Amino acid sequence: MYNVKVPKFEGPLNLLLELIEEQKLNITEMSIAQVADDYLEYVRGEENISLENLADFISIASKIILIKSRSILPILEVTSEEEKEIKDLENQLQLYKKFKDAGGEFDKLLRSGKRIFSRDYLLGVSTVFVPAKNLNAFDLKKTFKNIIDQITLPEKLPKEAVRDIITLEEKINEFQKRLESRVEFSFSQMKESAKDNIEIIVSFLALLEMIKQRIVMVEQNSLFSEINIKKFKALTIHGQPKNQINN
Amino acid sequence: MDSPKIKSIIESLLFVSGEPVKLAKLAKICQVEKKEVEKSLEEIDVFYKEQNSGFRVIKSGDSAQLGTSPENAEFVSQLVSGEINSELSKSALETLAIVAYRGPITRTQIEAIRGVNTSYILRSLLMRGIIERKEISETRGFLYEASFDFLKSVGIQAVKDLPDWDQLSKNEKIEEILAINQEENNITKDQ
Amino acid sequence: MDSPKIKSIIESLLFVSGEPVKLAKLAKICQVEKKEVEKSLEEIDVFYKEQNSGFRVIKSGDSAQLGTSPENAEFVSQLVSGEINSELSKSALETLAIVAYRGPITRTQIEAIRGVNTSYILRSLLMRGIIERKEISETRGFLYEASFDFLKSVGIQAVKDLPDWDQLSKNEKIEEILAINQEENNITKDQ
């Protein structure tokens, strides 16, 4: 069945653009970094995003995190490929905005009432039965069967598409477990255990998120040096963070 | 309102209406006297003739209608007979198959099964007498079904005689897509 | 056949058909080249505008249709009720804009611009007849474009008359983004 609850933002670009426009910013790398937290907050909190769309939201999230990370941490090395990803997101957002605005113009045109009317098909020509040429009952059966074959019922959530994507929640949970076993560990250790770039990014995001939620605190003694992650001391006082996921 | 504007409006009105339109009605819509409408109609027709236009104003009694120039009659009938006698397009065949196996059926249901708008195709199948429709109610539109003439032309007496009718007419996938569509119409009507 | 005669025939044909007619069909009936039909259609429309006529020629793809002047809409709607234009959501409007400016376009390309799955919206626009699709081939899916009904409902005679057409219809950056996303989509999505 279709998920009939429609989330407020249909896609990640829609959300990102809205956040940027809300702050009356232009589409730049800087402004994307500025709204990164709000973006992630929304993705975490919105329950109506379908699993399929969630994959799209997370894919953009990873790019946003990259941008955010670079704006906070100058030590973060960005490959030329990632550099291009950042630029592409900016371009894509600008392009998306053009069509979103054009859609708004269409709305005005549709409401202007300046529509064109046409005549009905062969108006005034009298009906006579003319048998369809070269058509028999078996053609109808064949056609009908083809139609049945071509019906695509709305997906059943395409689990494969999202199965491999590590969610933010999973990552936060993983860190919390680690923190329980070891009071302190470094970001580079975390990086080493990651399977790929996306996972590093998600890790970093999870880290930012936990700093924000005061689950952890980070220490970096000098620029480019190791980042140490520690359990936030006041954790027991603050109790459970509001967004923590309990398994 | 000035005279060219009135003529322009009258042209538009007569164009969209298939039937003769009462002069009084034209006058009311244009917010002018009936005399003014009469004068405009005459001027329009003179103009059409002078310009060798493809249109003509046909006046009968208190009504007027737009038609085509009699000089173009042979070309018009070529178009009409071409439309009526042509082979069914793929879309038309699909629509016909749905109407035959699932009729009586509404346009919305046909569109849910095909996933595309079907209003033009239904009109052309109706036009050719291949399908028929009956009104359900003012608001809920029409039910379409294969015409008896059509069934006869493919050598059967009733839709039940179509190959594998029992099985195909109750296909589950179709039931499901119709159920989904129904649900959507109920819930997200204005989204 | 001389040019005024051809124009007159074309007017008659478009009038009788009511629906969009393929230029090739007009050419065949008039027994002239398609180029000649195209030229005539342009001249007809220029003439309609000059004369403040009640008609307009609508062109899309390889077809043309006759319609009323959008200036007369408020009067015509008193005679015939236009299709009920229920509101389009923002997502539907933005998808429609992509299809109108960039069509014929594939679903993958639309989704590359929107960054999100668009099959549901496309289906609903198709069912409402606002966009149309044509099959590319069995495997490669469909190409989507704006329909005549869309043009009529915004009172525009051809997509190239849409606001900011030059800027939105073609753009090098778009091509680049589309190419990138297509690559990505080929790998990550299997739709």
Side-chain angles (χ1 to χ4, degrees):
Chain A
M1 296 286 136
Y2 278 123
N3 183 2
V4 286
K5 273 191 209 159
V6 180
K8 191 163 160 228
F9 297 100
E10 210 223 355
L13 295 177
N14 182 208
L15 168 59
L16 189 53
L17 184 61
E18 205 92 348
L19 292 172
I20 289 173
E21 286 182 342
E22 227 167 65
Q23 309 238 359
K24 300 197 167 60
L25 300 170
N26 292 321
I27 299 167
T28 60
E29 196 185 324
M30 274 286 282
S31 50
I32 294 175
Q34 219 170 308
V35 300
D37 289 344
D38 294 334
Y39 178 94
L40 299 168
E41 189 64 34
Y42 177 85
V43 176
R44 295 199 59 194
E46 178 59 72
E47 285 163 2
N48 290 337
I49 301 176
S50 72
L51 220 53
E52 190 180 14
N53 285 3
L54 190 61
D56 296 320
F57 275 99
I58 290 181
S59 143
I60 296 291
S62 71
K63 291 174 191 168
I64 294 176
I65 291 152
L66 187 66
I67 292 171
K68 166 101 181 177
S69 317
R70 191 157 79 156
S71 78
I72 307 177
L73 281 187
I75 58 158
L76 193 80
E77 273 182 41
V78 176
T79 65
S80 63
E81 205 178 295
E82 288 166 338
E83 186 79 54
K84 193 170 178 313
E85 248 179 52
I86 292 175
K87 203 68 210 160
D88 284 345
L89 178 60
E90 222 181 292
N91 289 339
Q92 199 183 358
L93 205 53
Q94 258 150 10
L95 177 62
Y96 171 74
K97 179 181 159 57
K98 283 185 187 163
F99 287 109
K100 189 174 165 262
D101 292 348
E105 289 304 309
F106 281 11
D107 198 32
K108 283 186 208 153
L109 287 173
L110 287 166
R111 288 169 198 277
S112 74
K114 292 253 178 285
R115 90 187 314 281
I116 294 174
F117 293 84
S118 59
R119 275 167 73 86
D120 283 347
Y121 180 60
L122 298 183
L123 203 58
V125 177
S126 51
T127 13
V128 264
F129 175 69
V130 187
K133 277 184 198 147
N134 312 321
L135 180 64
N136 62 52
F138 287 93
D139 294 329
L140 285 183
K141 177 190 155 186
K142 208 176 128 209
T143 307
F144 194 63
K145 281 186 81 169
N146 279 340
I147 294 167
I148 293 172
D149 289 342
Q150 276 164 20
I151 290 177
T152 30
L153 291 168
E155 281 320 306
K156 326 305 184 182
L157 303 169
K159 293 216 171 65
E160 296 84 71
V162 275
R163 193 182 49 206
D164 292 333
I165 291 174
I166 309 117
T167 69
L168 200 55
E169 333 284 356
E170 276 171 5
K171 223 48 207 174
I172 291 179
N173 284 339
E174 191 190 315
F175 283 167
Q176 280 178 331
K177 278 194 196 121
R178 277 206 229 176
L179 284 167
E180 278 161 25
S181 58
R182 289 187 297 158
V183 177
E184 193 173 312
F185 67 98
S186 70
F187 189 66
S188 52
Q189 273 175 296
M190 200 168 85
K191 262 173 81 173
E192 274 160 29
S193 68
K195 284 196 290 284
D196 52 31
N197 259 350
I198 297 265
E199 198 174 331
I200 296 173
I201 291 165
V202 175
S203 296
F204 191 78
L205 161 69
L207 183 60
L208 292 176
E209 192 59 44
M210 288 193 293
I211 296 168
K212 203 173 134 202
Q213 291 183 22
R214 305 194 153 208
I215 300 168
V216 297
M217 50 191 281
V218 290
E219 267 177 18
Q220 189 181 24
N221 293 327
S222 63
L223 201 61
F224 303 116
S225 75
E226 187 63 87
I227 302 174
N228 287 314
I229 304 161
K230 286 180 188 167
K231 212 170 175 174
F232 194 77
K233 289 196 181 91
L235 180 65
T236 48
I237 299 165
H238 280 245
Q240 293 282 300
K242 67 175 164 99
N243 285 328
Q244 189 181 346
I245 304 296
N246 295 309
N247 282 338
Chain B
M1 207 181 300
D2 62 355
S3 154
K5 179 69 179 168
I6 292 165
K7 285 194 261 183
S8 173
I9 296 170
I10 291 177
E11 277 188 321
S12 290
L13 293 172
L14 294 182
F15 173 75
V16 295
S17 169
E19 295 151 23
V21 187
K22 287 244 180 319
L23 302 194
K25 187 161 203 179
L26 293 174
K28 196 183 161 209
I29 295 177
C30 296
Q31 291 166 310
V32 294
E33 295 292 311
K34 220 177 92 182
K35 256 199 336 245
E36 179 80 27
V37 170
E38 269 167 19
K39 193 177 129 253
S40 299
L41 282 169
E42 262 160 49
E43 286 174 13
I44 292 171
D45 198 47
V46 168
F47 182 75
Y48 286 162
K49 284 174 182 153
E50 271 173 11
Q51 297 289 325
N52 268 317
S53 144
F55 313 114
R56 289 294 180 274
V57 175
I58 307 158
K59 263 196 70 181
S60 58
D62 225 21
S63 302
Q65 189 177 8
L66 214 56
T68 56
S69 152
E71 279 108 73
N72 297 338
E74 57 168 314
F75 301 97
V76 168
S77 64
Q78 260 186 64
L79 176 86
V80 172
S81 76
E83 294 289 309
I84 292 177
N85 293 304
S86 64
E87 273 185 34
L88 293 182
S89 67
K90 189 173 172 245
S91 318
L93 190 58
E94 280 181 17
T95 307
L96 175 57
I98 294 169
V99 171
Y101 276 94
R102 294 287 316 196
I105 183 170
T106 66
R107 190 183 105 184
T108 318
Q109 288 175 320
I110 299 169
E111 288 171 352
I113 295 171
R114 289 192 65 225
V116 293
N117 187 275
T118 305
S119 51
Y120 163 65
I121 295 167
L122 284 174
R123 261 180 271 146
S124 89
L125 288 172
L126 279 171
M127 173 78 226
R128 295 172 66 161
I130 292 172
I131 61 170
E132 288 166 351
R133 68 176 188 188
K134 51 184 183 219
E135 200 163 3
I136 321 170
S137 72
E138 288 254 335
T139 46
R140 292 183 50 226
F142 298 93
L143 282 173
Y144 296 85
E145 58 191 341
S147 75
F148 187 60
D149 281 339
F150 168 71
L151 294 177
K152 265 199 317 202
S153 74
V154 294
I156 58 176
Q157 290 294 309
V159 282
K160 289 187 178 57
D161 302 333
L162 284 167
D164 297 332
W165 188 84
D166 279 337
Q167 185 213 336
L168 289 175
S169 65
K170 291 181 191 69
N171 179 275
E172 275 178 25
K173 238 172 138 184
I174 295 207
E175 300 287 346
E176 200 173 329
I177 194 93
L178 289 178
I180 289 166
N181 192 64
Q182 178 76 38
E183 200 179 307
E184 270 168 23
N185 276 340
N186 290 343
I187 301 168
T188 61
K189 213 157 207 168
D190 43 17
Q191 262 167 16
Chain C
M1 207 180 296
D2 61 356
S3 158
K5 178 70 178 164
I6 293 165
K7 286 194 260 184
S8 171
I9 297 170
I10 290 176
E11 278 187 322
S12 292
L13 295 176
L14 292 181
F15 175 84
V16 169
S17 168
E19 290 285 328
V21 185
K22 285 235 179 336
L23 302 193
K25 192 182 266 181
L26 294 173
K28 201 183 156 204
I29 295 176
C30 296
Q31 290 168 310
V32 294
E33 295 290 309
K34 220 176 91 181
K35 264 206 318 254
E36 179 79 26
V37 170
E38 269 166 30
K39 196 178 125 251
S40 302
L41 284 169
E42 262 163 52
E43 287 173 12
I44 291 172
D45 194 54
V46 168
F47 182 74
Y48 287 162
K49 284 175 182 157
E50 274 172 9
Q51 298 290 324
N52 271 317
S53 140
F55 312 113
R56 290 293 181 273
V57 175
I58 315 162
K59 265 198 71 184
S60 172
D62 231 20
S63 303
Q65 184 178 21
L66 209 58
T68 58
S69 157
E71 304 302 318
N72 295 340
E74 56 171 311
F75 302 97
V76 178
S77 58
Q78 292 177 51
L79 189 70
V80 289
S81 55
E83 285 111 272
I84 310 134
N85 254 333
S86 59
E87 290 208 352
L88 292 174
S89 69
K90 279 187 179 170
S91 309
L93 285 166
E94 113 202 352
T95 307
L96 180 57
I98 295 170
V99 172
Y101 286 101
R102 302 284 311 174
I105 185 170
T106 66
R107 176 155 80 95
T108 315
Q109 290 172 322
I110 297 166
E111 289 175 351
I113 296 174
R114 297 193 63 231
V116 70
N117 184 290
T118 302
S119 51
Y120 175 72
I121 292 175
L122 285 175
R123 182 180 148 90
S124 121
L125 289 172
L126 279 171
M127 281 173 59
R128 294 169 69 169
I130 299 168
I131 62 169
E132 286 170 347
R133 67 176 188 195
K134 51 189 182 208
E135 214 162 353
I136 315 171
S137 73
E138 294 277 321
T139 47
R140 290 189 50 226
F142 297 96
L143 282 172
Y144 298 86
E145 59 190 338
S147 70
F148 275 87
D149 278 350
F150 163 71
L151 290 175
K152 285 189 292 179
S153 62
V154 290
I156 279 173
Q157 295 172 244
V159 280
K160 64 175 171 37
D161 299 334
L162 286 168
D164 296 326
W165 171 255
D166 286 335
Q167 201 221 341
L168 285 166
S169 64
K170 270 279 176 300
N171 182 317
E172 309 243 331
K173 260 187 203 159
I174 302 183
E175 307 295 340
E176 202 182 305
I177 289 170
L178 287 177
I180 294 160
N181 280 282
Q182 237 165 332
E183 266 167 47
E184 279 177 14
N185 272 326
N186 288 341
I187 303 163
T188 58
K189 276 186 192 165
D190 174 38
Q191 282 165 357

